[in-house]
Amino acid sequence: MTVYALAQISIHDRRRYDRYVAAFMPVLAKYHGRLLAADERPQVLEGTWPYEKVILMSFDSRESFERWANSPEYREISRERVAATDGVVLVADGFPGR
């Protein structure tokens, strides 16, 4: 079953975050993740939203997501993201058969 990871972040150290971004795609691709959206100016249609950027990724399964998230390569680069941003990351299961 497809799993989606949704990050909502505010960036407070652009230089460190840009280092993370520069290394991100090769690591995501290595673990067969797909970047579906990354937007620093999403349109808020209802309510208030305290973040600056939204990132949406998909993985073939929760196991695939966990291999990526816990991989030595991602753990290494994620230090930059953690130091440079505030936010939340959500993981949601897709519908069966999709």
Side-chain angles (χ1 to χ4, degrees):
M1 176 183 332
T2 301
V3 169
Y4 298 93
L6 174 69
Q8 300 176 54
I9 62 171
S10 291
I11 303 163
H12 56 78
D13 186 334
R14 175 58 69 170
R15 211 166 69 187
R16 286 190 86 167
Y17 184 70
D18 286 347
R19 285 196 301 256
Y20 166 76
V21 169
F24 178 82
M25 287 305 293
V27 176
L28 184 67
K30 179 178 180 178
Y31 289 91
H32 309 288
R34 292 173 302 282
L35 181 62
L36 303 177
D39 192 343
E40 288 195 28
R41 292 185 179 86
Q43 182 181 8
V44 178
L45 297 178
E46 293 183 23
T48 57
W49 188 61
Y51 301 107
E52 297 171 356
K53 184 173 184 175
V54 63
I55 302 100
L56 178 62
M57 299 167 283
S58 69
F59 296 85
D60 291 336
S61 65
R62 187 166 293 265
E63 293 78 19
S64 178
F65 165 78
E66 289 174 358
R67 276 193 299 277
W68 169 75
N70 296 315
S71 71
E73 300 94 336
Y74 186 69
R75 292 175 66 86
E76 177 69 26
I77 68 169
S78 69
R79 292 183 193 141
E80 297 288 356
R81 177 189 52 81
V82 169
T85 66
D86 295 309
V88 298
V89 179
L90 308 165
V91 179
D93 292 330
F95 287 107
R98 300 229 172 204

